[in-house]
Amino acid sequence: VQEKGFPKYDVQEAKDRLAYIAHVVNTKFPNRNVHLKFLGDFIESFTGKNHKDTWEQIEIHGAKVALLTADILKEFILMVNNVHSVDVVGGNHDRVTAANDDDTSSQVAELLTGMLERMIGNIPFRYDRRILTSVHDDICYLITHGDKRITKMEPAKMVLEYGDQNLFNLMLNAHGHSELIHDSSIRYQARQIPPVTVPNRYALDIGKSSPSGFVITEKSPRSGVEVYTYSL
């Protein structure tokens, strides 16, 4: 729900942003295989009580928000051409409890992944609450949300344990709600991607007011990976 002094964000705005992402992908990469990566925090709150006064800024919560989110994501995924896979990791907001230590499995994200897999049918989906590794065009991708302890590992150690030492490894997380590069070398890069949504009251109160956006990556024609950031 929009408040005076806060950026506009509602269901229609979410749909418009995702439609724009689909448009950019389809226009700029019309003949490429697309692998979608969702890094968690699909909803603000299932209970309406994730943070103090959360309920004042959200339109819906509970089962209705999960169903609506599934519908919105289905519409988005079907807008994107040539989708070959969808990987999903859970975020700390994707829980069915008010306290984050009561649900560490991100059950809302797991539920959404299962629903979308059944709704769409012909695209492989994978879900993990912590980390997923995949290889596309000789680039090894390691995605996490960023709230779990695993993200605190040194990038080189993460590559050793979860990546591919024969390829360039791109580690992506999203928990910090701002874009930055944690670490980079000739063998890997650890990057935090921007949020798709605008900051809410809680984010602004703690100084998280980064511009929203999304990231598209592809193998560089020379070495490593190209990362393109688009504003929303």
Side-chain angles (χ1 to χ4, degrees):
V1 179
Q2 187 180 9
E3 294 184 43
K4 184 177 180 180
F6 291 88
K8 176 186 177 183
Y9 197 79
D10 54 21
V11 170
Q12 188 56 52
E13 179 67 16
K15 291 182 176 181
D16 291 345
R17 286 170 178 249
L18 291 173
Y20 177 71
I21 294 173
H23 168 73
V24 171
V25 173
N26 294 340
T27 301
K28 295 187 177 293
F29 302 90
N31 301 312
R32 301 297 299 273
N33 294 340
V34 175
H35 302 275
L36 297 175
K37 311 290 185 186
F38 293 101
L39 273 60
D41 279 359
F42 293 95
I43 65 170
E44 174 62 25
S45 175
F46 188 82
T47 64
K49 300 179 180 180
N50 277 25
H51 297 302
K52 183 180 180 181
D53 298 329
T54 294
W55 61 272
E56 293 183 351
Q57 283 198 291
I58 59 176
E59 295 177 88
I60 56 174
H61 62 276
K64 290 182 179 180
V65 74
L67 292 169
L68 177 60
T69 303
D71 288 339
I72 292 172
L73 290 174
K74 175 190 174 184
E75 182 179 339
F76 164 67
I77 293 169
L78 293 178
M79 283 182 188
V80 181
N81 298 332
N82 304 318
V83 176
H84 279 241
S85 69
V86 179
D87 283 353
V88 180
V89 290
N92 57 304
H93 282 255
D94 300 322
R95 61 182 188 265
V96 296
T97 59
N100 58 14
D101 55 354
D102 289 336
D103 175 10
T104 61
S105 299
S106 305
Q107 292 183 60
V108 172
E110 184 175 5
L111 173 65
L112 288 172
T113 306
M115 292 171 64
L116 289 167
E117 190 171 26
R118 289 162 175 76
M119 292 163 74
I120 296 175
N122 61 342
I123 299 173
F125 283 75
R126 294 193 305 158
Y127 169 80
D128 194 272
R129 68 183 183 87
R130 296 189 311 125
I131 184 170
L132 282 175
T133 302
S134 56
V135 175
H136 311 301
D137 299 327
D138 294 327
I139 299 293
C140 183
Y141 292 86
L142 297 88
I143 63 169
T144 65
H145 177 65
D147 62 312
K148 308 293 190 300
R149 287 187 178 181
I150 189 174
T151 312
K152 310 305 179 185
M153 293 173 61
E154 291 293 329
K157 184 177 180 182
M158 185 174 286
V159 169
L160 180 64
E161 295 197 16
Y162 297 98
D164 189 324
Q165 297 177 65
N166 296 312
L167 301 175
F168 186 87
N169 290 258
L170 180 61
M171 290 160 276
L172 301 173
N173 68 75
H175 180 60
H177 294 267
S178 61
E179 185 177 26
L180 57 88
I181 296 176
H182 294 295
D183 196 6
S184 186
S185 80
I186 61 172
R187 303 293 298 277
Y188 63 79
Q189 183 179 106
R191 177 183 286 263
Q192 184 171 281
I193 64 172
V196 171
T197 66
V198 298
N200 62 5
R201 177 197 294 171
Y202 177 81
L204 291 174
D205 285 347
I206 62 173
K208 299 292 186 180
S209 57
S210 172
S212 55
F214 63 100
V215 166
I216 297 176
T217 69
E218 66 173 347
K219 180 178 174 58
S220 171
R222 295 182 63 86
S223 64
V225 63
E226 304 284 1
V227 180
Y228 308 99
T229 300
Y230 297 85
S231 296
L232 280 172

